[in-house]
Amino acid sequence: MAEPRLAVRRKSRSSSERKRSRAPAQPVAASSPVARKRPSSDGEGAPAEALCSNDSEEDMFGDYDSFYGNDSLIAQVDDVEHKYLQDENMDVKAAGEVVPGNLQSGVHQKEQDNFSASQNVVVLKSDKEGACQMQDSDPADGNQKLTESILDDLPSSQLLYFEKMDELSSASRTSPLPKGRDEHVDSFSDKIRDPLSFCAGAEHRNRPIDSSSHSKCVLFKSESLKDHLKSAMTGNARAQTLQVSKTKQLQEAVLSEEIFVARKAIESSSLDIGPFYGLPSKVKDLFRQLRGIETLYEWQHDCLMLESLQQRKNLIYSLPTGGGKTLVAEIIILQELLCRQKDVLMILPYVAIVQEKVRGLSSFGIELGFLVEEYAGSKGRFPPIKRRVKKSLYIATIEKGHALVNSLIETERIDDLGLVVVDELHMLGAGSRGAVLEITLAKILYTSKKTQIIGMSATLNNVGDLQKFLQAEYYTNNFRPVKLKEYIKIRDTIYAVDSKTENGFTFSHLLNFKYSSNLEKADPDHIIALVTEVIPKYSCLIFCPTKKNCENVASMVCKYLKKEFRAHKEKEKQDLIKNLKSIGNGTVCPVLKQTIPFGIAYHHSGLTNDERRSIEEAYSAGVLCLLACTATLAAGVNLPARRVILRAPYVGNDFLKKSQYKQMIGRAGRAGIDSAGESILIVQEKDKHLVQDLVHSPLENCYSNLLLELTKGIQSLLLSLVGLKIAVTCEEVDNFVCCTLLGVQQQLLSKEKSLSEIIQDGLENLIEKGLLKGRISEKDHNSKSTLTITPLGKAVYKGSIDLAYCNILYRDLKKGLQGLVLESNLHLLYLSTPYDMTSTCSPDWMIYLRQFNQLSAAEQKVADIVGVPESFITKKASGQAVRKNVDNAVVNRFYLTFVLYSLLKETNVWSVSEKFNLSRGYVQNLLSSAASFASCLLHFCEELEEFWVYKALLTELTKQLTYCVKTELIPLMEVAGVLEARAKQLYNAGYKTLAHLANANPETLVRMIEHLSRRQAKQIISSAKMLLSEKAEALQEEVEELLKVPTDIPGTH
């Protein structure tokens, strides 16, 4: 909201004049220093000029002196003023030297952390006139809060100008001054503490002057009143409409002071910390406003007060699901960003969780002055931009986090990373992704002694090994905000899980639900009896072994529910179906169309991201009361329920693991809503003994996967160690590997060969593949001979390419150079199709042939080049025997390329999934995998000069694959959490750019966009503001870099 004084001035002009004054508005930083300071003709110094009006060679108003259409007003005032000035002999010189004092106070604002709340009146004294008071009325609240000195964001050229003015001011002060003048300068420089004091237009310079004070305030005598009015109008035109009230200024001063105190407290490692765990009280207010968190749980307080945290030791902490682990991590992250002024990396397991966290923390970033950057899929800069002022919170998936750490080590910036937080630390034991996470943490531990590591998980067992690996302290607590009651069901009997009894179970009750013979056949597991005890009043989750089972359970339950269930939130359910219809371009899944009116839906990877998001939001809002879902929901977004039912103790065909069981039942009980949560595991008689072991056994141990995942594990580690020059001799490599989790567990995991032998084999393999150069002596493994990385090896680790495919990728790209077909993007798409998805592909040969026949002659040539002859597809489609030797991996990969090709042409997941008879989720997963692989491919080609031609081509293709929408929607989809359906809604409502979204009003957004809650609207706006801020910062960095004076200019030394 504009400051009242400025608002009145604008009101007195017509709308056309308002447009005139706003159009040329430029940031302060862009104005010319030369234009700002003009020497007077007698050489006695510059006249006092308005800092923000920039009365430069290009006058904004030209000769147009009219004030609301009456040009006689200024003329009359001008005549009176000239006449008056002829009668009085004034000392103008004083005013010329006051403004540098103002500038000085602006320059030193960064160093002053607070100002007195009572200093709302600035008194300027001259040697004769007594005082001229400038009263500052309380402006209205602005909705933009300052978090740092404006000078922080000015370019160096502007700062040099301020310094120059400061020098002139200092020089002028060395000459004798009258006493009153001295007081005047001191008062001005001491009392103006407002960061806006030097750029709020006419606000501080053109206050009404008390005519009874002789009308001779020295500050305003260097210019005529006409010039002052023109200057004020110019200032209004150039000033941003959003101003900050005195209340806001005071709040910012308090925040600045609290951050200063907190930083000092953190540095002294004292337990006597700031108002909110070493953070400003504003952080506590934000948690209340944005999360509804009033107070912390006792364990959270205890954990944050741990001496090990105060001493910046690494920490692992473990609590049951839903215990509030993430809040503790977020407070520690904010301490690092605000108090220690260091960057932070947060590693999360899945893209969806990364995006959710980016949305959730962007609001904090906007309010507290740090950047939130997304590193997931194809998003992320390597290395990240080195920020001048603001610190960055990088939120990354495991793979992107590894690439980010590599880039920081390579550019010798790893010490800029003050903190690394790992959620779901038990992922260390999860196959190839666990191996990548282990490599990432080992590199941080080895290369930076200043980076703190915090790991958290609900399912940890062999904590001792992890402590040894991470050199960490350990904190654990069994706290749950809602009590969990565990049950199992065998036939129609419910047993409570009780570890004190001999067989582990005690009888609880029999199901009280009358089953007809037909219903008994349809629902032998009594799911309807279990769900109707809680829905629709409370929520319920049913975890099913397979995706198909999810859909079957949802359909079956709604068939046998009473019609009264349809009446519950009927309008909201119809709105949900309409929303899903718009997402599917007029098509809704028949199962969802049948189940949603009853408040039931399924949730699994076969749905598109848009569909999953809509269903999750409807469930959270209480529109849906029952979800039939797969185990992935337990590890993903947080959707708690009053009752959790496990349809069977299986995930797919595999028996349930204890960690998976714990994650699933951990969703039972909603903090602040339920007094207790219930979990019921449905068990067949044959599985009874297995379930007894499952329920009462300890959690699985977490073991290193570096050996099991050779190409993504130990070999990938060895290659990057040499490439980053972390370890370049066998001895150094040995020392590093001993510091990994594999090194800690080597007696358990490497019984056949010693760790040293495993390392030697790995290095020899890399040399054979042409990725490393050097000699490894079998006799003397501790040889000092140095290993070096080849250009291909460097490209492989920089592109995060799986070593299993690096040689074939190089051959494919080399072959492509000989005859790259650019009539369409089919050939380039083939090269960007992920190798690791070909094994899961089973082509429909009739569809394959149909798609092949639709290709142009040039596109069919692509098939020949890559090795997929038409005759092979024809014979396969007609069921004939094929004698020709064709690589099935290539054939499958080309089939997936057809799917991607159709997607980019149609940008409709629904129609493409129907055309190829694939699930929508699979098609979308293929698309996101291809986007990520294309991004890796781009980094790979950037390191090899021979592939220069691919760089520009892959840059554009990566963008197309990332968003796969019409070009006009891409700017909106860059915002975290805005998917295609939402982007279309926003675009149609007139929000067509990032700037539109960043400056949107949440209430207007909720009113104009269907199915958008106020919370979602605020998150979208915060994310857009954050992205806009990132882009602006990046451009500012570029400008700074361009203007930086080189230190090695010839002839300067």
Side-chain angles (χ1 to χ4, degrees), residues 832-892:
S832 304
T833 303
Y835 290 97
D836 56 2
M837 289 196 73
T838 56
S839 59
T840 60
C841 173
S842 300
D844 183 314
W845 298 107
M846 287 304 296
I847 295 172
Y848 209 148
L849 182 61
R850 197 180 306 131
Q851 292 301 311
F852 193 95
N853 290 334
Q854 289 173 9
L855 298 178
S856 66
E859 288 172 334
Q860 286 188 2
K861 189 183 173 186
V862 175
D864 286 334
I865 292 169
V866 301
V868 182
E870 184 180 3
S871 59
F872 175 82
I873 299 170
T874 307
K875 284 180 179 178
K876 276 284 190 182
S878 60
Q880 297 176 38
V882 180
R883 293 177 186 174
K884 205 168 186 178
N885 189 19
V886 175
D887 188 340
N888 282 327
V890 172
V891 174
N892 290 0

Side-chain angles (χ1 to χ4, degrees), residues 363-587:
S363 304
F364 286 85
I366 295 295
E367 296 291 342
L368 298 170
F370 61 86
L371 297 170
V372 179
E373 302 185 40
E374 180 183 341
Y375 280 76
S378 60
K379 292 185 180 179
R381 289 174 183 255
F382 303 102
I385 296 169
K386 189 174 174 64
R387 308 291 180 183
R388 292 169 305 123
V389 179
K390 291 184 178 180
K391 296 301 163 190
S392 290
L393 168 58
Y394 311 114
I395 303 181
T397 55
I398 291 169
E399 293 77 14
K400 289 292 177 180
H402 180 224
L404 179 68
V405 167
N406 279 348
S407 68
L408 290 173
I409 293 170
E410 187 175 33
T411 52
E412 298 181 348
R413 286 169 49 195
I414 191 66
D415 284 340
D416 291 349
L417 204 59
L419 174 69
V420 175
V421 173
V422 182
D423 195 8
E424 312 293 358
L425 188 64
H426 60 268
M427 290 289 289
L428 277 167
S432 62
R433 304 194 77 215
V436 174
L437 181 57
E438 181 181 343
I439 292 169
T440 306
L441 295 176
K443 284 176 181 173
I444 293 165
L445 287 163
Y446 197 84
T447 58
S448 174
K449 301 304 174 193
K450 296 179 180 177
T451 306
Q452 185 182 19
I453 295 174
I454 306 285
M456 52 180 166
S457 174
T459 54
L460 287 178
N461 191 31
N462 56 331
V463 178
D465 287 353
L466 301 183
Q467 276 186 268
K468 196 171 177 183
F469 165 44
L470 296 175
Q471 301 152 36
E473 302 285 316
Y474 180 56
Y475 176 88
T476 187
N477 196 303
N478 290 322
F479 172 82
R480 266 187 64 94
V482 178
K483 188 180 176 184
L484 174 63
K485 297 174 181 175
E486 288 181 59
Y487 300 99
I488 68 161
K489 185 191 85 69
I490 302 173
R491 295 195 185 92
D492 61 350
T493 310
I494 305 292
Y495 297 92
V497 174
D498 186 356
S499 56
K500 295 171 187 174
T501 60
E502 190 178 338
N503 66 355
F505 305 122
T506 56
F507 173 82
S508 175
H509 62 276
L510 290 169
L511 281 176
N512 182 23
F513 190 91
K514 290 182 180 177
Y515 268 75
S516 66
S517 58
N518 285 339
L519 184 53
E520 188 76 43
K521 287 177 187 175
D523 181 23
D525 293 324
H526 309 106
I527 291 170
I528 291 170
L530 294 174
V531 300
T532 50
E533 288 178 355
V534 287
I535 67 167
K537 190 177 179 182
Y538 301 107
S539 57
C540 182
L541 294 174
I542 304 177
F543 285 103
C544 303
T546 66
K547 288 184 280 192
K548 190 63 182 170
N549 196 224
C550 290
E551 297 176 33
N552 292 341
V553 165
S555 295
M556 183 272 294
V557 170
C558 76
K559 274 181 191 174
Y560 293 97
L561 286 181
K562 294 177 183 176
K563 288 185 179 178
E564 292 86 82
F565 281 88
R566 297 178 71 102
H568 182 73
K569 298 198 174 184
E570 191 171 3
K571 183 186 178 300
E572 289 90 339
K573 291 170 187 171
Q574 289 305 316
D575 287 343
L576 174 60
I577 291 173
K578 281 181 194 171
N579 189 31
L580 290 170
K581 195 171 184 179
S582 69
I583 288 169
N585 293 309
T587 312

Side-chain angles (χ1 to χ4, degrees), residues 378-380 825 828-829 832 904 930-942 947-964 970 974:
S378 60
K379 292 185 180 179
N825 55 13
L828 208 58
L829 270 175
S832 304
L904 290 189
S932 187
F933 185 64
S935 172
C936 292
L937 201 55
L938 175 60
H939 294 303
F940 178 87
C941 291
E942 282 172 345
F947 295 144
W948 64 271
V949 71
Y950 288 118
K951 292 178 197 174
L953 296 170
L954 285 168
T955 302
E956 186 56 36
L957 185 69
T958 302
K959 198 172 183 181
Q960 288 178 21
L961 289 167
T962 300
Y963 301 109
C964 193
I970 289 177
E974 287 181 335

Side-chain angles (χ1 to χ4, degrees), residues 275-287:
F276 184 67
Y277 300 100
L279 289 164
S281 53
K282 181 174 181 178
V283 175
K284 187 177 182 180
D285 296 338
L286 286 172
F287 276 116

Side-chain angles (χ1 to χ4, degrees), residues 710 714-716 718-719 733 753 755-769 771-772 776 781 803:
L710 267 181
I714 190 75
Q715 289 185 8
S716 175
L718 298 176
L719 179 67
V733 172
K753 288 184 179 180
L755 201 54
S756 188
E757 288 172 326
I758 291 168
I759 291 167
Q760 185 170 326
D761 290 347
L763 290 171
E764 285 173 351
N765 188 279
L766 293 172
I767 291 168
E768 281 175 29
K769 285 185 175 180
L771 304 175
L772 290 181
I776 299 169
H781 183 58
L803 269 67

